[in-house]
Amino acid sequence: MMGCWILNESLSFTLVLSWLGVNLYLFIDTFCWYEEEESFLYTRVILGSTLAWARASAVCLNFNCMLILLPISRNLISFMRGTSTCCRGPWRRQLDKNLKFHKLVAYGIAINATIHIVAHLCNLQRYHWSQSAEVQGLPATLSKLGNAPNESYLNPIRTFHTNTITELLTTIAGVTGLIISLALVLIMTSSTESIRQVSYELFWYTHHVFIIFFIGLAIHGAGRIVRGQTPESQLLHNVTFCRDHHAQWQKMAQCPMPQFSGKEPSAWKWVLGPVVLYACERIIRFWRFQQEVVITKVVSHPSGVLELHMKKRNFKMAPGQYVLVQCPSISWLEWHPFTLTSAPQEDFFSLHIRVAGDWTEALWKAFGAEGQALKEPWSLPRLAVDGPFGTTLTDVFHYPVSVCIAAGIGVTPFASLLKSIWYKCESQTQLKLSKVYFYWICRDPKAFEWFADLLLSLETLMSERGKAHFLSYHIFLTGWDENQAVHIALHWDENTDVVTGLKQKTFYGRPNWSNEFRQLAYAHPSSSIGVFFCGPKALSKTLQRMCRLYSSADPRGVHFYYNKESF
């Protein structure tokens, strides 16, 4: 029962394997080149193999820095999802894992940066040690080059009594290296899940240190600390012969003094394209920031959810897409992602924003939602909206059977989808989608209030159109108190559910996913079933496991395709 699920997951594995393969190729190829290249033979005499370790990790670092901005270029991802003919089917689903790939590349940067730093610290110590009186032979001769006129140096540490840390911090490479390292540590530590949950604002602001990181990276190599023999010097000074006759350098015609120069910096060549692309991304965001957003309706729900209806010129969306929202009166820099809850057929777009952090709490207060009456439209704070951007949920209509699973406020992406289904059914549009299963797991009964009206209208329309079988929904309440339990028990025999007002009764407790997927597989034995989820990571892993467990190895059997919402 694993065939199709493994195919879907193997594409992710293929992506990771390709990334690892390119990194390994670049590392090994660069390492071997610096271990064998004649122009760096004298450099290796002093530094040994740590030269190759430093340079190989630097190339991999440049490669990963080239990739790191691409997965977070939202307009590029949306463009590829919507128009690219090469991103169809399973490959298209990889675009929904852009943030995972972004994190993977970040780990690659951290690992290669660590190798690079350790290797260069070893190089610095070897440069320093080669200036000591104890060193004899070729290393001593190479380290003393540059003391006489018309000689170029190989060893940047000029005397043994030099403090290596002080010397390092007086060079471009040393200063920029320190800045890059501090920026990377700050970005990585503030990106941990625990910090993001406690203070998203801290994560947001520290992530913008990437600007300093890329500036430092671009000029890091300008110091040219690692030096090799110049091509002109190689023509006159044969290292294979002259390395064994270093005492006769300058005295022998075939062994003039070797000349050295630093390697031309190349990091900027790697990152220039992605940085320009990302700069265009931010220019587009700034342009959208200037566009007027008209707030037409504000609703404060008892469950701590703020509903906003807005209009914007030339705004076009698809079900399940999201936007980035900025409120200048709260912060000029922060943009937060929120799923659109309106349908494309409506003449406005809407958001349902739950209070869950400093920024959303400030927005709640700015709209007067904590008071008895909301503010008048003319006194509402200004909002800027960037987007919409595509997500995995836009593929719901591509399957004959779709299973939509939401936990808590994760229901918002499916509001847009269900509204769109409502409009399509009302206009009697022919759909490839023939069956929708909707699961919602929620802790607070009050959270059902704003969404129950939508389900009720959809339930009524489906019955009127003779398509009551089209939508099957299952609502699970996981939290209630004693008074609520008594109220539920007293009204259990009524025709409509006491919590939601729907014909379908609410379930109490958590769903048994094994039973649910077994029933789905039995009901649709030869179908491709898209499973779409928005909610916590723990439940996501469970659903992934269910998709693997109940997918058939037979190509003619049932196949579950797992898709998770991510911003």
Side-chain angles (χ1 to χ4, degrees):
M1 286 191 172
M2 295 177 64
C4 194
W5 187 88
I6 288 178
L7 175 62
N8 183 23
E9 288 301 303
S10 68
L11 292 172
S12 293
F13 180 73
T14 302
L15 181 64
V16 173
L17 199 63
S18 300
W19 173 78
L20 279 173
V22 174
N23 273 281
L24 284 172
Y25 169 77
L26 289 174
F27 192 95
I28 294 170
D29 182 67
T30 306
F31 188 94
C32 293
W33 191 86
Y34 275 94
E35 282 286 273
E36 298 170 0
E37 173 59 28
E38 280 196 352
S39 62
F40 286 95
L41 189 147
Y42 286 145
T43 314
R44 290 194 299 272
V45 169
I46 298 176
L47 301 182
S49 63
T50 53
L51 168 67
W53 280 97
R55 298 312 305 160
S57 58
V59 170
C60 291
L61 187 61
N62 290 339
F63 170 67
N64 285 284
C65 287
M66 177 186 73
L67 295 178
I68 193 71
L69 292 176
L70 298 179
I72 55 172
S73 299
R74 300 174 190 267
N75 288 292
L76 174 65
I77 298 295
S78 292
F79 173 78
M80 292 176 67
R81 282 190 61 86
T83 62
S84 180
T85 55
C86 66
C87 293
R88 298 294 179 190
W91 283 108
R92 183 174 173 176
R93 283 194 291 275
Q94 303 312 307
L95 295 175
D96 302 317
K97 299 172 183 175
N98 58 319
L99 293 184
K100 288 185 178 180
F101 186 66
H102 176 72
K103 293 175 185 177
L104 179 67
V105 173
Y107 287 129
I109 290 174
I111 291 169
N112 284 291
T114 302
I115 296 172
H116 187 71
I117 291 168
V118 171
H120 269 317
L121 288 175
C122 293
N123 288 338
L124 201 62
Q125 288 303 315
R126 291 187 177 189
Y127 274 137
H128 182 253
W129 175 81
S130 66
Q131 289 286 12
S132 68
E134 300 173 5
V135 176
Q136 302 294 325
L138 183 57
T141 302
L142 292 171
S143 292
K144 289 179 174 57
L145 289 176
N147 292 337
N150 300 323
E151 288 182 359
S152 60
Y153 70 90
L154 176 61
N155 190 340
I157 304 296
R158 302 310 302 145
T159 66
F160 181 70
H161 302 290
T162 301
N163 185 304
T164 53
I165 301 300
T166 304
E167 185 70 18
L168 180 67
L169 294 178
T170 58
T171 63
I172 294 175
V175 172
T176 55
L178 179 62
I179 291 172
I180 291 170
S181 301
L182 291 175
L184 184 60
V185 169
L186 191 61
I187 291 170
M188 295 289 289
T189 53
S190 64
S191 299
T192 57
E193 190 171 350
S194 57
I195 290 179
R196 289 204 316 272
Q197 290 177 349
V198 172
S199 178
Y200 182 84
E201 288 75 14
L202 178 63
F203 158 74
W204 177 265
Y205 285 118
T206 53
H207 235 59
H208 282 75
V209 177
F210 84 91
I211 298 171
I212 297 173
F213 176 88
F214 275 97
I215 292 173
L217 182 70
I219 61 177
H220 178 62
R224 304 190 182 191
I225 271 193
V226 176
R227 298 164 69 84
Q229 194 174 359
T230 64
E232 296 80 9
S233 177
Q234 283 184 276
L235 295 174
L236 302 173
H237 181 106
N238 188 320
V239 293
T240 306
F241 173 78
C242 296
R243 64 179 298 180
D244 298 322
H245 301 84
H246 58 88
Q248 284 78 41
W249 285 359
Q250 199 68 16
K251 297 176 183 177
M252 299 175 63
Q254 61 267 45
C255 291
M257 282 295 179
Q259 300 297 313
F260 300 93
S261 65
K263 192 175 184 300
E264 186 178 331
S266 60
W268 66 272
K269 298 176 184 178
W270 287 86
V271 301
L272 180 62
V275 166
V276 170
L277 184 67
Y278 189 74
C280 293
E281 180 92 7
R282 300 309 287 259
I283 291 170
I284 292 172
R285 180 176 297 179
F286 180 76
W287 173 69
R288 287 175 175 165
F289 168 79
Q290 301 297 324
Q291 294 178 316
E292 183 183 11
V293 175
V294 179
I295 301 169
T296 59
K297 185 179 179 181
V298 180
V299 180
S300 173
H301 294 281
S303 53
V305 174
L306 183 67
E307 180 180 352
L308 301 177
H309 290 205
M310 293 168 280
K311 289 185 177 182
K312 185 179 178 182
R313 183 180 297 176
N314 298 325
F315 188 89
K316 296 179 181 179
M317 59 163 290
Q321 289 189 314
Y322 71 97
V323 293
L324 295 173
V325 177
Q326 184 207 54
C327 184
S329 63
I330 299 175
S331 171
W332 281 93
L333 294 177
E334 292 183 49
W335 292 80
H336 292 258
F338 295 101
T339 309
L340 292 162
T341 55
S342 52
Q345 294 85 350
E346 294 174 313
D347 63 351
F348 63 89
F349 63 94
S350 65
L351 303 173
H352 284 72
I353 301 172
R354 181 169 64 92
V355 177
D358 297 339
W359 190 89
T360 50
E361 184 177 352
L363 187 71
W364 176 270
K365 293 177 180 177
F367 278 86
E370 61 180 350
Q372 295 294 323
L374 294 168
K375 291 184 179 181
E376 294 295 327
W378 58 267
S379 64
L380 294 174
R382 176 177 177 265
L383 292 181
V385 175
D386 185 17
F389 303 106
T391 63
T392 181
L393 196 59
T394 56
D395 293 337
V396 165
F397 293 101
H398 297 167
Y399 295 92
V401 180
S402 287
V403 180
C404 302
I405 304 170
I409 198 64
V411 75
T412 51
F414 302 108
S416 173
L417 171 69
L418 294 177
K419 284 183 182 180
S420 184
I421 290 174
W422 189 90
Y423 281 106
K424 288 177 184 290
C425 288
E426 193 174 42
S427 62
Q428 298 185 349
T429 304
Q430 291 297 317
L431 298 173
K432 179 181 179 180
L433 182 65
S434 60
K435 180 69 176 179
V436 176
Y437 293 90
F438 176 64
Y439 293 83
W440 187 14
I441 304 100
C442 195
R443 183 180 302 171
D444 184 8
K446 293 181 180 179
F448 293 115
E449 295 173 3
W450 71 271
F451 200 71
D453 290 341
L454 171 61
L455 287 176
L456 183 60
S457 62
L458 194 58
E459 183 182 64
T460 304
L461 179 68
M462 293 300 176
S463 298
E464 292 175 354
R465 300 291 184 190
K467 294 184 177 181
H469 67 282
F470 182 84
L471 174 65
S472 176
Y473 56 89
H474 309 269
I475 299 175
F476 292 82
L477 181 62
T478 60
W480 61 86
D481 57 32
E482 186 176 344
N483 293 332
Q484 289 169 338
V486 172
H487 182 66
I488 291 166
L490 289 173
H491 296 83
W492 181 256
D493 293 331
E494 294 183 4
N495 292 330
T496 57
D497 184 70
V498 66
V499 177
T500 62
L502 299 167
K503 293 179 182 179
Q504 172 69 52
K505 296 291 186 178
T506 299
F507 298 94
Y508 299 93
R510 300 183 184 279
N512 184 324
W513 291 115
S514 184
N515 289 342
E516 298 296 335
F517 273 82
R518 187 182 299 111
Q519 291 173 16
L520 289 169
Y522 180 79
H524 307 280
S526 302
S527 297
S528 294
I529 302 177
V531 179
F532 298 85
F533 173 68
C534 186
K537 186 182 294 185
L539 182 53
S540 176
K541 290 181 179 179
T542 300
L543 296 174
Q544 271 189 308
R545 190 169 64 252
M546 292 298 106
C547 287
R548 177 187 63 206
L549 185 62
Y550 289 100
S551 286
S552 174
D554 186 349
R556 296 167 296 180
V558 63
H559 302 144
F560 288 95
Y561 295 90
Y562 183 72
N563 302 271
K564 184 182 184 299
E565 282 289 290
S566 59
F567 303 120

